[in-house]
Amino acid sequence: MDKPGLGERLKKIFTKSELGENFYEDFEDMLIEGDIGAASAMDISDKLRAKFGKKGPLSKEEISEELKNILSNMVKSADPAVDPDRTTILMVLGVNGVGKTTTIAKMADFYRREYNIEPVLSAGDTFRAAAIDQLKLHGERLDLKVIHQQPGSDPGAVIYDSIESAKSRGSKMIIADTAGRMHNKSHLVKELQKIDKIISSRAADSEYRKILVIDATTGQNGFRQAEMFHEAVGIDQIVLTKYDSSAKGGIAVSISSRLGLPFSFIGTGEKYSDLKPFDSGDYIERLLS
Ligand SMILES: Nc1nc2c(ncn2[C@@H]2O[C@H](COP(=O)(O)OP(=O)(O)OP(=O)(O)O)[C@@H](O)[C@H]2O)c(=O)[nH]1
Ligand SMILES: [Mg+2]
């Protein structure tokens, strides 16, 4: 945490400028530095201006309160709840290194604890041998079945097998890993669309969710990732990871408000228990602290 959070910065600009044009300029800069993105920063600043424009001078507390209101209308959360009587298929997507495999293990642990289901883990990232081994290791630690094939094999086939295996074992959940890296972007998109088609064809009676993992430390790059994956396959829910390692983390604001995508979980560490259902109130509190 090398930089102060938004709350600290707000304090600074509040003591620096009167509530005039300068204030709003500094305010927008502050939001942008907090990874909220230029478009959303302007949007927030316009709303604040519309509320307080001619009034002034205001206290930091008043601004903070209104900022919380504005943000809570921009950041959407999705309930991660599942129906334990119906099969749920979670396809986990995201660029390399964002925390997909770790999040899969954490979600498996969460659903077992909360819903008493035994998820089948699917090693659909066949691009690297290490990715398969990593998921197998989590499976051993959690004592969960991991369906895998050789590195380089067809991820669609691995996930198909996983769905069949879950069916025969009576498991109500499949959580599938996917590769975040391919030879190039169009390869990746094509591959994901192919997997999506296979799952869709097997998911008639199931709840099928496409879960995108976004790393809170990657800044506005995260917005472009969300746009790319959403365009490729249509994202249902997002998990924000590494919120513990980011003093900024405003990325959820622009993704949620501009793409309309909700967040279902937030990751705050490397342990299995460091994953909580996303609470937009908590997220905003922390963002402004
Ligand atoms: N601090 C922190 N670290 C995390 C969190 N989630 C994941 N990590 C760490 O981030 C690193 C990458 O995680 P992985 O799960 O391997 O990421 P991935 O997206 O599967 O990566 P690839 O398979 O290489 O594409 C690991 O060292 C994880 O322990 C989190 O919420 N907080
Ligand atoms: Mg991985």
Side-chain angles (χ1 to χ4, degrees), residues 145-282:
K145 181 81 182 165
V146 178
I147 301 297
H148 58 89
Q149 291 178 10
Q150 315 289 19
S153 59
D154 176 14
V158 177
I159 297 174
Y160 183 97
D161 276 2
S162 309
I163 297 173
E164 292 305 306
S165 162
K167 214 177 268 171
S168 68
R169 303 168 67 86
S171 165
K172 291 294 183 191
M173 183 176 276
I174 299 100
I175 312 181
D177 203 0
T178 62
R181 177 178 12 211
M182 291 255 60
H183 307 286
N184 62 45
K185 189 182 135 191
S186 79
H187 265 112
L188 176 65
V189 168
K190 264 196 208 127
E191 176 109 331
L192 296 177
Q193 288 170 336
K194 205 172 116 194
I195 298 173
D196 181 39
K197 221 170 172 179
I198 291 172
I199 301 181
S200 295
S201 74
R202 308 295 301 161
D205 303 318
S206 312
E207 166 75 12
Y208 171 31
R209 292 178 191 164
K210 285 164 259 187
I211 314 271
L212 178 66
V213 177
I214 295 283
D215 175 340
T217 66
T218 56
Q220 279 302 298
N221 225 333
F223 179 81
R224 288 184 284 280
Q225 291 164 19
E227 225 176 12
M228 194 274 273
F229 281 95
H230 193 42
E231 213 175 276
V233 291
I235 296 302
D236 298 301
Q237 298 180 351
I238 301 183
V239 177
L240 186 67
T241 55
K242 310 189 196 179
Y243 199 50
D244 54 304
S245 317
S246 165
K248 301 174 164 189
I251 185 63
V253 178
S254 54
I255 291 178
S256 204
S257 65
R258 292 179 63 208
L259 301 176
L261 296 175
F263 285 73
S264 54
F265 285 107
I266 188 159
T268 53
E270 303 195 50
K271 295 195 303 289
Y272 290 141
S273 55
D274 291 332
L275 184 80
K276 300 271 168 342
F278 186 89
D279 178 309
S280 59
D282 285 353

Side-chain angles (χ1 to χ4, degrees), residues 95-102 106 125 128 134 181 241-242 244-245 267-270:
V95 303
N96 55 289
V98 290
K100 290 179 299 298
T101 308
T102 312
K106 288 173 174 177
D125 179 357
R128 290 178 310 123
Q134 195 190 354
R181 177 178 12 211
T241 55
K242 310 189 196 179
D244 54 304
S245 317
T268 53
E270 303 195 50

Side-chain angles (χ1 to χ4, degrees), residues 104-116:
I104 287 170
K106 288 173 174 177
M107 287 198 294
D109 185 51
F110 171 87
Y111 285 112
R112 177 158 60 187
R113 256 187 291 120
E114 299 291 321
Y115 293 88
N116 204 21

